Each structure stands twice: as structure tokens, then as C-alpha cells.
């Protein structure tokens, strides 16, 4: 195949401006012609008031309250929104996993959402310790519809939102700061009065200043504090203030500064639950959420696997399992990550990326030889360490290279950890043969088989399964004993004196069969003597054998490295008899060397 020396991409323009004068000599990048001047950095768009931040010195040592919004915010981002059946399946999954507050819909936005909330109210599907959250804009008619939807639900959060950022006030709402503030107060008052008309409903309130991260800090604080007072926040009936990064516009540290500012200055702080709702426009939603929790957030809204508008909501799977990987209980159950993913993919009708952290098909998979070797050694060390501690491997402290958590903890099998292609190395290949076929290849044999595997995968361009590896090993090292130019018809050994053994055999070469004998200090050296009598000079350089399993009937495997007429080859044998396996290994090596002769 001939590759083009140059390729053309008509819509791209290779940067050609002068290298910046202050660039170091090792960085020859040139400015692109893309119109970056159209965009403003975060500090030019919103005041960033915090200078004496303390969050960088804190540690994450407990999980916040997780609030999945898959059924509302995630659902709004789907090309095919969920029907009631899919919504119920998602809701049941979230309950089973252990989520205790679940946003279930936007009842005033569609009949389907309204009907689903009514289904939950009338079916008794909500456990006693689970709170249902519903979402509404700050309009009286929408609030009325929302309150009607939640009638009969014993524990409910009604989530009121209004955009507060200058661009949204000017372009979308067409209102001043004071007018937006009054709109929010009027809506909050109406919501409170309607909730009071539902005795025993246990309604609590949540407010989101949408696009919080682009809103003036003093205005957000003013509005939130007024809502805290209006809704009479108390220790036993706290108000939730949810501060969303509705559209990411800055590095995560900026969002953390904004959250810490609010954490310090919110009125009645012990009666306020500080919540965050990061989106992922810059691809840093997870970092924003983690830093926000360091900065004082107590509650995080997001979606499983990060579904959501544009580039998605923050991913609760990654957030929770990031904590788990730090030794912190995630407070939700991901012990069967594939079952979780299956439900989410069914309900969203969207695939989870194969490289998704923790949940993707390939996330625990290594193809690289160096990675595979390190993982294989790490797994062996882990098993040894568990045995020393006298605990099951699944309970022993986890320190395996390249694997931040034990795949078994989230229901994955070790078969998925190491996979073989043309980039793979001897350690990973040996690991798979040992794990799935009971073969413990001698270290000095592993490079030889690795080269064989690489030739085969290069030729096919395909990934090899552990079954493919076994078949390649069998045909390369075991089969030559039965399929080579010289085969063994029968043999017997005897001890003819102290330290003296005799090997008698019948060998077939082509159509001829002849009997040969040899003597030596052991059965294999006597075999070498018999082969020498047949005109095949064999020097056994290395030999080992082992059982492939427990019990007397387990097959044995033997490996032999031999110099045959100056050519060095490995062979292997497999038999219920250790001696037969060893004899076949030597004969396989001899035949492989014979095939390689000119």
C-alpha cells in the first residue's frame, strides 16, 4: 500500500502567522486565523469577588447528596423523550441504586411528564425514604400545574428557576435586575401559598438562579437570601439553593470560587442546602462539581453517564466512583455497572462511550504491551498479598498498576482487562493463557510466543481473544509433535541402573517406522539419546512442567527449549501424564527446528 506524502483538507487553513515574539524556541506554534477575539474570558464577563479562597486546602471525605436529574434535565435533551414505561424503569433503577432524592419531571412542560408524576403519586412506587423533585419555571400557571401534579406525594421538592444573568435578562426576559428579582419573589410567594393549600404534602422548596456562574455575585446573593427569608428556611425545613453552571464559561477553579463566596455569605446558612448543577460545555463538569463540593456545596444534581443538553450534565457515575477510588463510600451502588448502563442506554436510546470512565466497554482494557505486563504482575502480586493477609482477593487492599479500582467491584470480569492485538506484549499474553487455559509459560518462552502473536495479529489486523491465543499456541508449540516430520508411535522408559534411564521408542518418518533406544541420567536425556540415534541431534536447554488445574485428572503441560542441529526452538506438550507431556514438548521443539532448516 502506498500512502500519499501530503494530504489536503480544503476547509482548514494551516496557521501561517509569525511565531509570537515571546514564545520559547522549543514552541514553534503559530497563531490560527480563527476569530478568537469574538469571545471574552470569564473575568471580563462576570465579577469574580473571592481572593482569599480556602477550598484548595480541603479534602473530599464524604459523598454529597446526589440528585439524579435524568428524568427531567436528561430527558429534555433526548431526541426521543422517554415514555412512562421508560421513565418508570429509570426511576426504579435510581431507587434500587440508593438515590434518596430524584428529580422526576417537568410536569408543566408535557402531558407525559405530568402523567408520570401522577403515576408515581397513585401507584405507591415512591419508597418512604425517597423524596421526589419536580421542576417549574417562575410563572403562575406553570406553578399551578406543577402543584396539581404532586398531589398525594408525601415528600416533594418543588424546584423553581429563573435565569438571572445579564445576557438572559436583556435578551430573553427583557427585564431589569429589579424586575427579575420581583418576578422571582412573586413566583416564590405564589408557590408557597399553593403548597400551603396541600396539607400533609411535606413540600420543600428549591430555587435555581439559572446561569448562576454568569450572574453578578451580589445579585445572586440578594435574590437567594430573599427567597430564604420568604420560604422561612429552618433546620427542619431547609431551603435548597441550587447554583448551576448552566453553560460552562471558565476553568473549574472559578466556579469553586463562586461557590465558596456564596457558602460564606448566604443568610441562615445552617438552614440552606447549597446545591450545584454543573453542565459540561468545556468538558470539565466533573472537575467543577468536585471543586464545588470542596468549596461548600452539599448537594449535586447530575445524570448517569452525563446525558444532558449540549455536551451534557455532570456525570454522577464518574463523580461517585471517583470518590470510591479515594476510599470514600459513594452512598450509591454501582456493583453491577453493566446493568446500570443497560438500563440507561435503553431509556435514553443513546450509547455509553466505550472509553467512558468506569462504565465504558474498554475502560479497564489494556492493549499496550507495557501496560499489560504491569497489570499482569500487579494482579499476581495482589493475589499473593491477599493470601498473606488471609483474606479473599476481593477484600484485599487494591494496588494494581493502571487500574484505579478493582473491576470486580463494579461487576466486571478480568477477561476484559487485558486484550490482545498487534501492540500487545508478552506479559498480557501470558496472563490470558494462565487465566483462561491454565498455562504458566516460562519467562524465557514468553518473548518467543509474543513474536508469534504479533506476526499473526499484524497479518490479520484483528484483535485476538483468549481462545485465539490458545489455538495459536497449540498449533505453534503442541501440534508439531503429532504433525511434524518425525512423530512418536510409542515409547517406554525404564531405569536400568542407579541414575541410568533407558528410553525405547518407535518413530515414524514419512511412511517408515523404526525403533530407537537411548540412555541418559533421566528420561528426557535418554529421549535425546534415542533421537540422536535417529539422526536428530537434540540438546535440551530448558524444561519445566505444571498441572493446569487441581485434581489428579488435570492435564499437565510441559515446555522444552531445545537446540536441534544448531537451531533453537521451543516446544510444548499436554497430556494427563507429565512424562508424556514432556516427551511431546521435546519432540515438538525438534520438529519445529527441523521445519526451519534450509
Amino acid at each position: 500500500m502506498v500512502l500519499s506524502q501530503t494530504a489536503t483538507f480544503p476547509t482548514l487553513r494551516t496557521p501561517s502567522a509569525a511565531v509570537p515574539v515571546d514564545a520559547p524556541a522549543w514552541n514553534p506554534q503559530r497563531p490560527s486565523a480563527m476569530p478568537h477575539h469574538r469571545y471574552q474570558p470569564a473575568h471580563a464577563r462576570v465579577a469574580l469577588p473571592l481572593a482569599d479562597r480556602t477550598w484548595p486546602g480541603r479534602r473530599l471525605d464524604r459523598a454529597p447528596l446526589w440528585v439524579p436529574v435524568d428524568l427531567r434535565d436528561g430527558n429534555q435533551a433526548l431526541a426521543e423523550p422517554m415514555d412512562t414505561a421508560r421513565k418508570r424503569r429509570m426511576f426504579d433503577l435510581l431507587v434500587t441504586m440508593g438515590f434518596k432524592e430524584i428529580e422526576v419531571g417537568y410536569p408543566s412542560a408535557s402531558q407525559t411528564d405530568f402523567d408520570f408524576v401522577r403515576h408515581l403519586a397513585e401507584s405507591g412506587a415512591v419508597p418512604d425514604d425517597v423524596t421526589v423533585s419536580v421542576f417549574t419555571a417562575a410563572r403562575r400557571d406553570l406553578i399551578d400545574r406543577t402543584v396539581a401534579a404532586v398531589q398525594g406525594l408525601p415528600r416533594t421538592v418543588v424546584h423553581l428557576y429563573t435565569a438571572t444573568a445579564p445576557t438572559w435578562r436583556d435578551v430573553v426576559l427583557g427585564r431589569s435586575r429589579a424586575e427579575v428579582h420581583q418576578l422571582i419573589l412573586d413566583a416564590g410567594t405564589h408557590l408557597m401559598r399553593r403548597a400551603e393549600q396541600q396539607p400533609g404534602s411535606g413540600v420543600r422548596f428549591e430555587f435555581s438562579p439559572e446561569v448562576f456562574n454568569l450572574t453578578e455575585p451580589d445579585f445572586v446573593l440578594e435574590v437567594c437570601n430573599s427567597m430564604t427569608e420568604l420560604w422561612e428556611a429552618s433546620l427542619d425545613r431547609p431551603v435548597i439553593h441550587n447554583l448551576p453552571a448552566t453553560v460552562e464559561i471558565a476553568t473549574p477553579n472559578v466556579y469553586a470560587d463562586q461557590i465558596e463566596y456564596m457558602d460564606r455569605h448566604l443568610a441562615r446558612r445552617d438552614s440552606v442546602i447549597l446545591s450545584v448543577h454543573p453542565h459540561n460545555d468545556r468538558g470539565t463538569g466533573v472537575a467543577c462539581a468536585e471543586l464545588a463540593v470542596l468549596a461548600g456545596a452539599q448537594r449535586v444534581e447530575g445524570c448517569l453517564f452525563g446525558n444532558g443538553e449540549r455536551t451534557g450534565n455532570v456525570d454522577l457515575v464518574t463523580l461517585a466512583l471517583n470518590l470510591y477510588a479515594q476510599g470514600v463510600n459513594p452512598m450509591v451502588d454501582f456493583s453491577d455497572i453493566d446493568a446500570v448502563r443497560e438500563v440507561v442506554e435503553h431509556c435514553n436510546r443513546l450509547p455509553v462511550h466505550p472509553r467512558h470512565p468506569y462504565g465504558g466497554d474498554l475502560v479497564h482494557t489494556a492493549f499496550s504491551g507495557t501496560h499489560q505486563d504491569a497489570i499482569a504482575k500487579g494482579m499476581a502480586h495482589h493475589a499473593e498479598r491477599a493470601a498473606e493477609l488471609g483474606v479473599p482477593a476481593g477484600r484485599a487492599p487494591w494496588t494494581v498498576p493502571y487500574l484505579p479500582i478493582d473491576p470486580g467491584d463494579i461487576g466486571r470480569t478480568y477477561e476484559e482487562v487485558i486484550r490482545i492485538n498487534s501492540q500487545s506484549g508478552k506479559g498480557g499474553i501470558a496472563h490470558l493463557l494462565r487465566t483462561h487455559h491454565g498455562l504458566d509459560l516460562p519467562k524465557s518462552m514468553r518473548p518467543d510466543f509474543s513474536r508469534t502473536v504479533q506476526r499473526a495479529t499484524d497479518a490479520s489486523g484483528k484483535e485476538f481473544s483468549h481462545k485465539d491465543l490458545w489455538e495459536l499456541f497449540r498449533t505453534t508449540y503442541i501440534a508439531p509433535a503429532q504433525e511434524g516430520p518425525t512423530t512418536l508411535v510409542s515409547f517406554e522408559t525404564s531405569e536400568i541402573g542407579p541414575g541410568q534411564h533407558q528410553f525405547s521408542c518407535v518413530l515414524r518418518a514419512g511412511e517408515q517406522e523404526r525403533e530407537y533406544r537411548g540412555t541418559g541420567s533421566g528420561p528426557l536425556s535418554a529421549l535425546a539419546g534415542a533421537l540422536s540415534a535417529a539422526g536428530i541431534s537434540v540438546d535440551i536447554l530448558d524444561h519445566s512442567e505444571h498441572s493446569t488445574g487441581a485434581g489428579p485428572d488435570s492435564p499437565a503441560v510441559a515446555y522444552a527449549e531445545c537446540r536441534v542441529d544448531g537451531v533453537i526452538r521451543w516446544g510444548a506438550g499436554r497430556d494427563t501424564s507429565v512424562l508424556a507431556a514432556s516427551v511431546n514438548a521435546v519432540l515438538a521443539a525438534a520438529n519445529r527446528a527441523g521445519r526451519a532448516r534450509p
Side-chain angles (χ1 to χ4, degrees):
M1 179 175 64
V2 178
L3 299 178
S4 171
Q5 295 300 307
T6 60
T8 57
F9 305 95
T11 59
L12 296 178
R13 291 169 289 175
T14 301
S16 57
V19 175
V21 294
D22 58 348
W26 48 263
N27 185 354
Q29 291 181 143
R30 299 170 182 271
S32 164
M34 295 177 66
H36 63 281
H37 58 275
R38 299 178 61 207
Y39 306 99
Q40 292 181 302
H43 64 266
R45 302 179 70 181
V46 63
L48 306 176
L50 195 65
D52 58 339
R53 60 191 60 80
T54 62
W55 61 262
R58 301 175 190 170
R59 293 182 180 179
L60 297 175
D61 59 5
R62 68 182 60 190
L65 176 65
W66 307 117
V67 182
V69 296
D70 301 77
L71 293 166
R72 193 278 299 176
D73 201 350
N75 188 55
Q76 287 180 269
L78 299 177
E80 299 178 42
M82 298 181 214
D83 55 22
T84 296
R86 284 155 63 201
K87 275 179 166 280
R88 177 59 190 269
R89 188 175 182 190
M90 177 73 81
F91 178 81
D92 289 345
L93 170 70
L94 297 171
V95 169
T96 299
M97 294 175 67
F99 290 103
K100 298 304 179 185
E101 187 173 319
I102 303 170
E103 191 174 73
V104 298
Y106 193 160
S108 62
S110 74
Q111 188 64 42
T112 300
D113 271 27
F114 184 91
D115 290 344
F116 180 66
V117 177
R118 295 308 308 145
H119 163 76
L120 293 179
E122 295 165 0
S123 66
V126 183
D128 291 341
D129 60 349
V130 171
T131 297
V132 161
S133 173
V134 289
F135 192 72
T136 182
R139 275 176 38 188
R140 288 192 170 211
D141 57 328
L142 303 184
I143 292 170
D144 291 343
R145 179 73 167 163
T146 302
V147 172
V150 300
Q151 288 183 13
L153 285 167
R155 291 161 308 283
T156 310
V157 169
V158 178
H159 182 175
L160 183 74
Y161 82 95
T162 296
T164 54
T167 300
W168 276 254
R169 294 197 307 259
D170 298 341
V171 176
V172 181
L173 299 176
R175 301 192 185 209
S176 66
R177 271 179 52 152
E179 289 170 331
V180 169
H181 192 171
Q182 190 60 50
L183 179 154
I184 293 168
L185 283 172
D186 290 346
T189 301
H190 184 68
L191 172 58
M192 182 174 63
R193 288 174 179 166
R194 287 302 315 274
E196 290 170 349
Q197 297 168 6
Q198 309 294 326
S201 64
V203 174
R204 292 191 293 117
F205 304 122
E206 175 179 356
F207 172 64
S208 281
E210 191 180 8
V211 211
F212 153 79
N213 57 324
L214 271 170
T215 304
E216 305 94 330
D218 65 311
F219 183 47
V220 174
L221 190 63
E222 175 188 324
V223 173
C224 286
N225 283 342
S226 67
M227 298 301 282
T228 299
E229 182 178 357
L230 173 68
W231 285 337
E232 300 176 344
S234 62
L235 287 173
D236 61 344
R237 198 162 176 265
V239 164
I240 302 166
H241 284 311
N242 186 55
L243 308 177
T246 309
V247 181
E248 277 194 306
I249 53 93
T251 50
N253 61 294
V254 172
Y255 187 52
D257 285 351
Q258 293 172 316
I259 296 300
E260 184 172 340
Y261 174 82
M262 295 296 290
D263 177 51
R264 291 188 193 182
H265 294 94
L266 280 169
R268 301 193 200 182
R269 183 64 186 88
D270 58 353
S271 297
V272 169
I273 299 170
L274 181 53
S275 177
V276 292
H277 182 118
H279 278 254
N280 198 43
D281 301 85
R282 291 168 52 93
T284 58
V286 166
C288 278
E290 291 180 329
L291 269 56
V293 173
L294 287 175
Q298 302 153 292
R299 179 180 182 273
V300 176
E301 295 184 352
C303 289
L304 298 181
F305 299 108
N307 176 50
E309 293 174 306
R310 304 179 307 281
T311 59
N313 287 288
V314 70
D315 177 8
L316 295 185
V317 175
T318 301
L319 282 173
L321 289 175
N322 279 356
L323 284 180
Y324 183 73
Q326 295 295 308
V328 177
N329 194 309
M331 308 303 283
V332 283
D333 184 21
F334 287 101
S335 60
D336 190 346
I337 194 77
D338 288 336
V340 174
R341 191 184 70 180
E342 179 185 357
V343 173
V344 172
E345 288 181 329
H346 168 80
C347 293
N348 288 343
R349 294 180 178 170
L350 291 172
V352 170
H353 196 282
R355 292 293 183 187
H356 181 282
Y358 304 106
D361 272 338
L362 298 178
V363 67
H364 296 117
T365 300
F367 291 102
S368 161
T370 53
H371 288 201
Q372 291 177 344
D373 184 60
I375 291 171
K377 290 176 179 176
M379 298 286 282
H381 178 267
H382 177 72
E384 293 169 2
R385 181 64 175 146
E388 291 171 1
L389 295 172
V391 298
R395 294 293 179 184
W398 183 255
T399 53
V400 174
Y402 296 112
L403 296 177
I405 66 170
D406 184 347
D409 285 354
I410 55 175
R412 289 292 179 84
T413 65
Y414 295 116
E415 181 176 352
E416 300 160 324
V417 172
I418 292 176
R419 291 164 61 173
I420 303 301
N421 63 16
S422 59
Q423 303 177 87
S424 303
K426 58 185 184 297
I429 293 166
H431 173 80
L432 288 186
L433 288 177
R434 180 174 60 249
T435 302
H436 298 284
H437 302 284
L439 302 184
D440 190 6
L441 270 60
K443 288 186 177 180
S444 52
M445 184 184 188
R446 294 176 187 180
D448 188 79
F449 186 47
S450 177
R451 289 188 290 270
T452 301
V453 172
Q454 190 163 41
R455 285 193 296 269
T457 51
D458 273 335
S460 68
K462 297 179 180 179
E463 178 185 347
F464 269 34
S465 69
H466 68 84
K467 294 179 181 178
D468 296 327
L469 285 180
W470 160 249
E471 183 58 22
L472 183 60
F473 182 86
R474 188 194 67 79
T475 57
T476 303
Y477 297 105
I478 297 177
Q482 289 79 37
E483 301 171 1
T486 302
T487 58
L488 188 66
V489 177
S490 62
F491 77 91
E492 62 180 22
T493 63
S494 59
E495 190 170 0
I496 58 176
Q500 281 289 99
H501 292 258
Q502 180 174 276
F503 190 96
S504 303
C505 63
V506 176
L507 297 177
R508 178 185 294 120
E511 299 298 323
Q512 294 184 343
E513 292 184 4
R514 292 185 62 181
E515 185 175 350
Y516 298 95
R517 287 186 179 86
T519 59
S521 59
L524 293 188
S525 61
L527 166 62
L531 292 174
S532 179
I536 305 171
S537 175
V538 176
D539 183 12
I540 301 173
L541 305 177
D542 191 6
H543 168 261
S544 63
E545 75 271 330
H546 64 82
S547 174
T548 58
D553 297 327
S554 296
V557 174
Y559 314 93
E561 183 184 27
C562 301
R563 182 185 293 112
V564 184
D565 294 333
V567 177
I568 296 176
R569 288 291 182 268
W570 278 94
R574 187 174 187 270
D575 199 279
T576 53
S577 162
V578 174
L579 178 58
S582 298
V583 168
N584 283 324
V586 173
L587 189 58
N591 278 331
R592 291 189 69 225
R595 289 176 180 176
R597 297 175 198 165

